């Protein structure tokens, strides 16, 4: 039997809505989970909303807080990063979040060699593991597929996680956008804690010119193969959430974001046909 898809809303889907309106939108859409962010001006967390307020509202509306998105750049470890990690982990615990998304350095000016980047990744994971365990959180490692990123592929992340003995506390984010940009073939359904979904529709863009601002809701013109990626994950055993994460201003400025999200949900429900019991 085909299982229903489990949708969630990342705050990036509606960065201008007040918190309660955002949560009510999730409820109306039948999405029982959300992600909040620390990088959006004028809304939680940046606006000073107490974590207890987030917890109270989400509990009242029956919503899970999947994550805070994100600790950046988590793989450049220093005292500043330690303090940032502690603040975010404390907020995540107190607001009822289950995980902390962790994004690697994405900087064309990064002077480090591949070996130096790999060593820094292991150092950061080793330092973060006890912080996360102490706060009862999962660390969601999200490779970014951009060519300049210090951690592009999930295979490299998994190797580092295993090297530091972190399989108990770290999971992967499979982001359909970044999976496509990295030209990655490997998937890790058993180690995947969350899937971020978005689409790109501009076929004139050179591969290396695709950026966050091109990320829209998934529809018929999607070039990233979202449906195929999701099918592979589900067929290989992934049972978690698909969280909408569109960055494009064209999405954020829609007059009826609810209708647009419903249409994207319907599109995926019609296109995704997991093969029960069969490996990808």
């Amino acid at each position: 039997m085909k299982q229903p898809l489990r949708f969630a809303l990342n705050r990036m889907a509606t960065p201008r809505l007040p918190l309660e309106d955002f949560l009510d939108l999730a409820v109306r859409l039948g999405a029982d989970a959300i992600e909040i962010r620390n990088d959006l001006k004028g809304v939680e967390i940046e606006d000073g909303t107490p974590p207890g307020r987030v917890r109270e509202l989400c509990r009242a509306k029956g919503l899970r807080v999947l994550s805070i998105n994100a600790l950046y750049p988590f793989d450049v470890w220093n005292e500043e990063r330690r303090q940032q990690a502690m603040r975010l982990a404390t907020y995540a615990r107190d607001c009822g979040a289950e995980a902390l998304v962790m994004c690697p350095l994405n900087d064309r000016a990064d002077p480090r060699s591949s070996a130096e980047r790999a060593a820094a990744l292991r150092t950061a994971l080793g330092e973060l593991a006890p912080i996360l365990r102490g706060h009862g959180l999962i660390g969601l490692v999200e490779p970014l597929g951009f060519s300049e990123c210090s951690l592009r592929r999930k295979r490299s992340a998994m190797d580092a996680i295993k090297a530091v003995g972190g399989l108990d506390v770290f999971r992967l984010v499979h982001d359909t956008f970044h999976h496509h940009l990295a030209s990655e073939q490997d998937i890790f359904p058993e180690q995947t804690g969350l899937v971020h979904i978005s689409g790109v529709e501009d076929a004139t863009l050179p591969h290396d010119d695709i950026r966050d601002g091109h990320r829209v809701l998934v529809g018929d013109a999607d070039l990233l193969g979202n449906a195929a990626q999701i099918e592979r994950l589900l067929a290989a055993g992934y049972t978690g959430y698909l969280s909408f994460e569109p960055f494009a201003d064209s999405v954020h400025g829609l007059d009826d974001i609810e209708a647009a999200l419903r249409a994207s949900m319907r599109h995926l429900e019609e296109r995704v046909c997991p093969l029960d019991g069969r490996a990808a």
Side-chain angles (χ1 to χ4, degrees), residues 52-190:
R53 178 62 173 160
V54 177
R55 177 192 288 267
E56 173 189 337
L57 286 171
C58 289
R59 181 176 294 172
K61 298 176 187 296
L63 294 170
R64 294 172 63 179
V65 184
L66 297 180
S67 81
I68 292 179
N69 191 335
L71 176 65
Y72 173 86
F74 86 89
D75 59 336
V76 179
W77 193 257
N78 50 34
E79 186 57 29
E80 177 188 4
R81 198 70 57 242
R82 181 187 301 278
Q83 293 301 319
Q84 181 188 14
M86 289 295 296
R87 288 193 302 271
L88 285 174
T90 299
Y91 194 102
R93 179 196 63 198
D94 293 349
C95 81
E98 300 169 17
L100 178 60
V101 174
M102 310 185 318
C103 293
L105 182 65
N106 191 64
D107 186 351
R108 296 183 191 277
D110 182 5
R112 298 174 301 169
S113 67
S114 295
E116 289 171 331
R117 291 178 177 186
L121 173 61
R122 292 192 297 272
T123 295
L125 292 173
E127 294 285 347
L128 280 162
I131 294 174
L132 294 164
R133 291 184 185 114
H135 288 78
L137 300 171
I138 291 295
L140 293 172
V141 181
E142 181 170 9
L144 306 180
F146 302 119
S147 60
E148 68 272 19
C149 186
S150 59
L151 176 61
R152 298 190 68 200
R153 294 184 173 88
K154 295 182 287 296
R155 170 67 66 185
S156 299
M158 280 305 308
D159 289 345
I161 289 169
K162 291 176 181 177
V164 302
L167 288 173
D168 66 311
V169 74
F170 294 114
R171 300 288 184 275
L172 300 175
V173 175
H174 179 112
D175 185 298
T176 58
F177 173 81
H178 290 298
H179 183 83
H180 175 86
L181 282 193
S183 301
E184 186 165 23
Q185 299 303 312
D186 294 328
I187 62 170
F188 300 89
E190 292 183 0

Side-chain angles (χ1 to χ4, degrees), residues 13 41 78 80 91 95 104 170 180 202 212 238 241 254 268:
K41 300 294 184 182
N78 50 34
E80 177 188 4
Y91 194 102
C95 81
F170 294 114
H180 175 86
D202 187 347
D212 279 331
Y238 178 70
Y241 284 92
L254 287 171
L268 287 169

